[in-house]
Amino acid sequence: MIIATFALVILLALGAGLLSRRGSKDGIGDFLVGGRSFGPLLLFILGAGEVYSIGTLIGFPGGVYAGGVSYGVWFIGYILLGYCIGYVYAPYLWYAGKIYGAMTLPDVARGHFRSRTLELTLAVTSVLFLIPWGELQLTGLQAAMAGLGVPIDAEVAAISGAALAALFLLLSGLRAPAFVSYVKDVALLLGTVLIGLAAVSKAGGSSAIFEAARAQTGTSHTTMTTSQLTFAMTTIVFQAVGFYAFPFLGQAVFASRSATNLKKVARFNPLYMLMYPFLVVAAFAAVTMLPTKLEGAASNSALMQLSARVLPDWLTGLVAGGAALCAIVVLCGTALGLGSIVSRNIVPGIPETRQRSAVRLVIVIYMAISLVLTLALPQVLLTLINTAYYGTTQGAIVFVAMVFGWRVRPAVLAIGMVIGDLLVVWWYLDKTGPISAFFTEHGINIGAAAFVVNALVVVVGRYAWPAADPVPGLRSLVRRGPSALRSLTPKESV
């Protein structure tokens, strides 16, 4: 019965992917940003599809299961704060996309600051730090299928997931993951709510779940130390700042029909967070309901194993389908984002008429690389997963300067970003070094510390080596109206 329900969910997703071809066109703009035609509902679904990945079902409950409430606080907090920042920032990014004909975040950097160096720096760092993201989704997919007891071989699951993601993208570009997210979100929301409700019912109430977990683990699961609180606060602020620095979320913004649509969607984005109380309850229930204690990486399967124990087989198949689509949709977004950056910003001189073919080629290569790493070297890049957020967020300083119109040279922004990236990799790999030990002892997020250094470099450079010909900030241009925006529009993007 598990396989039957699972297959039904995947078939519905295939149908949605095929449906996404309706109304699609052959131009590169339609393939990468949906022809800038997405309305509020499709934007809402696409945004959630890119944000709530396989980590929602394995990483978050696994972290709460293993580490308690401290993990849940920062995970929930940064997404909610990120939505607040997006309400203000995303419309400016959309205006920049329209002004410069941008389809990637490096496109915006090149157009606004007129700098190939800054464009290339942002593009290369985005690609390097997001290479592990594909392996994360496929490895998470394998863990979810195994935890749910789905009788599918781990290698078959990874190969099928990569193949489906590639198929969806080759069908219609950005439209495919947006349409597939309709099916994915229904399965995800139903699955998480039902697991939480089933656990509460079986335990005799939510209070009984938390009391049983406290009795088994002590107060460590329900309280936070000073260093844990510091880590939660620095992580919330840091990751919220970098929320829209990820390439696939930038493309979702560019896909909007208008800036007004983005503000409409931002008001309702937090509704997706209503599933997290059910995930928290389920994670605490797993502490006492699972027969054996899960240690290390095995804790990531806590929710999946609980689901297999408290839900009937046909609902477990629904959860399995939602988990698979979570991995596939985010894999789609990552592959499309990196394919766009390689074809438009790293490899020079590819005409727009050939970019669609180039993006497709990069997508296939990226899927193959992710699949090989997942199957042959599953632990090699997983050690760098955390650095994806650490490194990608360093590029957020570029867009802060763009919005506020700082008089800063593009070279200074590039230098600050590179220094932040190098520092975060050094501190992450040198865990026993004095600086890393200091951050660990005091609960300081190393990505946030590197971002502060990055920002200091930019601030010093802004005053010591100011730009000779500064570009007005988008905030002031938007306030001045359409005529001011048109004056900044390059001729080639009109």
Side-chain angles (χ1 to χ4, degrees), residues 401-456:
M402 177 186 72
V403 171
F404 290 98
W406 291 352
R407 188 172 178 175
V408 58
R409 292 178 183 267
V412 172
L413 291 169
I415 292 169
M417 189 166 35
V418 170
I419 289 175
D421 288 333
L422 292 175
L423 285 176
V424 84
V425 171
W426 170 34
W427 293 337
Y428 183 76
L429 296 179
D430 185 29
K431 289 183 172 63
T432 59
I435 298 178
S436 300
F438 174 83
F439 292 145
T440 301
E441 179 183 355
H442 293 86
I444 299 172
N445 184 299
I446 61 172
F451 188 81
V452 170
V453 176
N454 176 359
L456 287 174

Side-chain angles (χ1 to χ4, degrees), residues 292-308:
T292 58
K293 173 69 174 177
L294 303 176
E295 302 288 351
S299 63
N300 286 330
S301 66
L303 184 74
M304 303 295 101
Q305 292 194 31
L306 179 70
S307 173

Side-chain angles (χ1 to χ4, degrees), residues 52-104:
Y52 301 102
S53 69
I54 191 69
T56 302
L57 288 176
I58 63 169
F60 174 76
V64 174
Y65 171 88
V69 69
S70 62
Y71 189 93
V73 167
W74 72 258
F75 199 102
I76 295 173
Y78 95 84
I79 296 177
L80 288 174
L81 182 58
Y83 284 146
C84 296
I85 292 174
Y87 179 83
V88 177
Y89 165 73
Y92 291 123
L93 184 59
W94 181 87
Y95 278 116
K98 288 288 287 185
I99 291 170
Y100 304 117
M103 301 181 202
T104 67

